[in-house]
Amino acid sequence: MATLMDVAKRANVSKMTVSRVINHPEQVTDELKELVYTAMKELDYRPNLIAKALVSNSTRIIKLCILEDIDVTEPYYMNLMVGIAKALDLHQYSLQLVTRRNFDIGNCDGYIITGLRERDVAWIRDLTKPVVVFGENQYGFDYVDTNNQLGTYLAAQLALERGYRQLIYIGMASEEAFEKSREAGYLQLMHEQQRPVQLHHFNNHSHLTEAYIIEHWAQFKLETAFICATDRLAIGIERGIASCGGHVPQEFGITGFDGVFLNQVASPKLTTIKQSIIEMGRACGENILKKINQEWIERPLIFEPNIEMGGTIRPVLKEQSE
């Protein structure tokens, strides 16, 4: 079996450098890491992390606990897990996906929790291992999330700039903080512009918003834009308008929120507020490891959203561009 010294010789570095790459990769340059990782792969060398974990009373496991009743094959969550796993892999930690029912089965070194509701606050506060929450919250937990309020503010602002006269907010029927913040972004712009507010909330299923458009079609005026809290809700709006013979984006505008996958398969493609899900997942992974190593300062980490243009908001008017 290859040894640490064999790896050092193959990579033409010191034994100490190999040890640092394995145990503290954040302290080593990318070039050195590449040299050592290549040598480890060529020699089929695997660090004895099990022995190390026994000595330090560590499991090398981080649990991702999804409290929402969702399909974990959803592209949004798949991207989140990829980001977390990339961060953990650099430090030889593994990611374990758990649900509310089985989160306490087996040991771990820390938790990343998403889908936090008020009913979960008490037991999460009682956890003895470090916790990072993915998703904005008002309960004092440090978290990683997008600036949700700014996202819908930018979407609504874009719709007004492109000439739509009436803006309707299509939100999620949820008490989660991120939904409240997305709604607040729409409300902020409406109040600034002294425009009438219209709010409608649905469970996050496209068939519900499609049915809403079809059932109320006669009520919608031309030059209306729908500011949606998710891409899934936006797709339902788009399908409903098409079913009723309306035209997007000439007569009606639509914006979504997420920009992970669904915006790309819509026809036309959705103009959406894109979240950096993989990067946010990576931040969750990095932050939980900092907390385990007692390097983390309690604070939220907020990513700025970006508008990703599709075909559901009309392009810049010619007179505006000149």
Side-chain angles (χ1 to χ4, degrees):
M1 294 179 61
T3 66
L4 196 71
M5 183 59 71
D6 294 329
V7 175
K9 288 181 179 178
R10 177 65 65 94
N12 197 28
V13 297
S14 69
K15 185 177 177 181
M16 184 178 295
T17 297
V18 176
S19 178
R20 189 176 293 115
V21 168
I22 293 172
N23 296 301
H24 302 286
E26 74 282 357
Q27 300 176 4
V28 185
T29 65
D30 290 340
E31 291 78 9
L32 275 177
K33 282 188 284 191
E34 184 63 30
L35 282 173
V36 172
Y37 290 151
T38 299
M40 289 170 61
K41 184 176 181 181
E42 291 174 352
L43 296 172
D44 195 28
Y45 175 78
R46 299 180 183 277
N48 192 355
L49 294 176
I50 296 177
K52 179 180 176 181
L54 288 173
V55 171
S56 62
N57 196 29
S58 168
T59 64
R60 316 298 294 187
I61 294 171
I62 301 298
K63 290 186 178 182
L64 170 61
C65 187
I66 298 180
L67 301 179
E68 300 166 278
D69 184 19
I70 54 90
D71 180 359
V72 294
T73 61
E74 172 83 29
Y76 184 95
Y77 288 98
M78 292 299 291
N79 278 270
L80 176 65
M81 287 187 281
V82 166
I84 296 172
K86 284 184 175 182
L88 299 184
D89 184 61
L90 291 175
H91 299 265
Q92 292 81 49
Y93 274 79
S94 61
L95 178 64
Q96 184 180 102
L97 178 64
V98 297
T99 62
R100 188 191 304 273
R101 292 182 179 180
N102 62 12
F103 81 94
D104 57 351
I105 298 176
N107 204 358
C108 67
D109 293 346
Y111 299 91
I112 298 170
I113 296 177
T114 184
L116 174 66
R117 306 290 206 284
E118 185 173 1
R119 64 178 180 267
D120 302 305
V121 172
W123 66 262
I124 292 176
R125 284 183 175 152
D126 288 339
L127 293 173
T128 58
K129 300 293 177 63
V131 173
V132 167
V133 173
F134 177 69
E136 182 180 348
N137 70 89
Q138 307 299 323
Y139 307 113
F141 297 111
D142 53 293
Y143 63 85
V144 176
D145 203 350
T146 297
N147 189 333
N148 291 292
Q149 182 168 338
L150 177 61
T152 45
Y153 182 95
L154 293 175
Q157 186 178 59
L158 174 68
L160 290 181
E161 290 174 350
R162 298 299 169 88
Y164 298 99
R165 298 176 183 176
Q166 182 178 32
L167 272 58
I168 299 175
Y169 180 75
I170 305 296
M172 287 181 62
S174 170
E175 294 301 315
E176 288 196 64
F178 77 85
E179 161 58 29
K180 298 301 181 184
S181 291
R182 293 180 187 182
E183 182 177 309
Y186 163 83
L187 291 173
Q188 179 186 350
L189 188 65
M190 293 297 97
H191 292 156
E192 289 177 1
Q193 298 292 325
Q194 298 183 340
R195 290 176 175 268
V197 168
Q198 285 196 53
L199 303 171
H200 301 278
H201 298 87
F202 304 87
N203 290 331
N204 194 27
H205 300 293
S206 60
H207 71 271
L208 296 177
T209 49
E210 180 179 1
Y212 160 73
I213 292 294
I214 294 171
E215 291 169 10
H216 299 87
W217 179 243
Q219 301 174 14
F220 302 123
K221 299 177 181 179
L222 299 181
E223 307 296 332
T224 293
F226 297 87
I227 310 302
C228 302
T230 71
D231 288 343
R232 191 174 295 277
L233 295 174
I235 284 179
I237 297 292
E238 185 177 40
R239 290 173 179 166
I241 292 172
S243 296
C244 295
H247 297 93
V248 176
Q250 300 91 337
E251 298 172 338
F252 298 93
I254 308 168
T255 65
F257 203 121
D258 286 335
V260 177
F261 172 72
L262 295 178
N263 62 304
Q264 297 295 321
V265 299
S267 180
K269 292 181 180 179
L270 289 174
T271 294
T272 190
I273 300 300
K274 184 173 180 60
Q275 299 191 79
S276 304
I277 304 299
I278 292 179
E279 290 75 12
M280 290 195 289
R282 185 181 288 112
C284 288
E286 292 170 350
N287 289 352
I288 194 65
L289 295 180
K290 287 179 181 178
K291 294 189 77 169
I292 290 170
N293 295 322
Q294 299 182 338
E295 300 171 356
W296 173 247
I297 299 174
E298 299 277 332
R299 60 178 176 82
L301 180 57
I302 300 173
F303 284 70
E304 294 305 298
N306 296 297
I307 297 175
E308 183 168 292
M309 295 301 299
T312 56
I313 288 288
R314 63 168 66 106
V316 179
L317 300 177
K318 185 176 181 182
E319 56 268 25
Q320 291 177 327
S321 63
E322 293 177 348

